[in-house]
Amino acid sequence: MMNTTQSTASNTTEKTSSQPKITLVVAASLNNVIGVDNGLPWHLPSDLQFFKSQTLGHPIVMGRNTWISIGRALPGRTNVVISSASRETLALPESVLLFSDFTQALAALADTSEIMVIGGAMLYESVLPMADAVSLNRIQTTIEGGHAFFPNLPATEWKLTWEEQVPADEKNNFDQLRQRWERD
């Protein structure tokens, strides 16, 4: 059975000038793993702080599995879930918006300047053609047994505009390379 989110969102690859800026926010390993068993493959407090700094004050859009993984609405952000499942099935609080596809969410968020897409893999894949920017935290390790992957950024379509090295420390087991990619 085909996922409604994937089929509908992937058919919308053009962005109009009146739409908000679309930024993908992601932490991925060197081999593009973003998830193992519906969770993050690492616990890095500094990565969570970076995520918060990138998303606070902006609407965040996520797929069903990302919602389940997080397990609650994140404060200081409009939380949006893309899923064909019902509000009751997902146990969504009233404050969380639910849409069956990304184009509906985009239309509902048209009055905002920027929306942050926070996963998962199917949503990243379908929204990437419309994205304006990618906030990537490249975790400097290879993860075996990954179940969810971030798509490759086509080099001809993206340019690196910022990066920062963050070394491992007593609370963060891996070095991190934070990057901002803009559509070329």
Side-chain angles (χ1 to χ4, degrees):
M1 185 161 99
M2 182 174 266
N3 180 303
T4 304
T5 302
Q6 184 180 21
S7 64
T8 305
S10 63
N11 291 334
T12 306
T13 59
E14 292 187 22
K15 184 175 179 294
T16 67
S17 60
S18 63
Q19 291 176 339
K21 182 175 187 175
I22 299 170
T23 300
L24 308 184
V25 181
V26 61
S29 68
L30 294 171
N31 59 332
N32 283 345
V33 172
I34 61 172
V36 174
D37 296 329
N38 203 32
L40 291 175
W42 46 72
H43 177 72
L44 303 170
S46 67
D47 173 52
L48 298 175
Q49 282 299 109
F50 181 65
F51 172 84
K52 184 177 181 179
S53 76
Q54 298 297 294
T55 61
L56 198 61
H58 298 284
I60 55 174
V61 180
M62 68 194 92
R64 180 194 54 156
N65 287 338
T66 300
W67 166 257
I68 291 168
S69 174
I70 294 172
R72 64 182 176 89
L74 297 179
R77 294 152 273 212
T78 299
N79 288 245
V80 179
V81 175
I82 307 297
S83 177
S84 59
S86 71
R87 176 174 292 284
E88 294 75 26
T89 299
L90 297 172
L92 294 179
E94 285 300 315
S95 64
V96 175
L97 303 177
L98 175 64
F99 297 99
S100 62
D101 66 51
F102 183 75
T103 54
Q104 291 176 344
L106 193 57
L109 299 170
D111 63 345
T112 190
S113 62
E114 184 176 16
I115 63 171
M116 313 307 254
V117 176
I118 65 167
M122 288 190 339
L123 191 57
Y124 286 139
E125 185 77 37
S126 65
V127 174
L128 184 60
M130 289 189 298
D132 300 292
V134 176
S135 177
L136 172 63
N137 192 9
R138 182 66 72 185
I139 310 303
Q140 303 296 294
T141 189
T142 300
I143 301 292
E144 300 302 324
H147 295 105
F149 296 84
F150 187 70
N152 289 319
L153 296 177
T156 58
E157 298 176 24
W158 297 91
K159 65 180 174 188
L160 181 64
T161 60
W162 172 85
E163 74 177 9
E164 174 188 29
Q165 284 274 64
V166 179
D169 61 26
E170 65 278 352
K171 293 182 181 178
N172 299 278
N173 295 339
F174 304 113
D175 292 340
Q176 301 166 56
L177 179 62
R178 296 173 180 167
Q179 301 176 321
R180 176 78 174 190
W181 293 86
E182 301 279 344
R183 187 158 304 272
D184 202 10

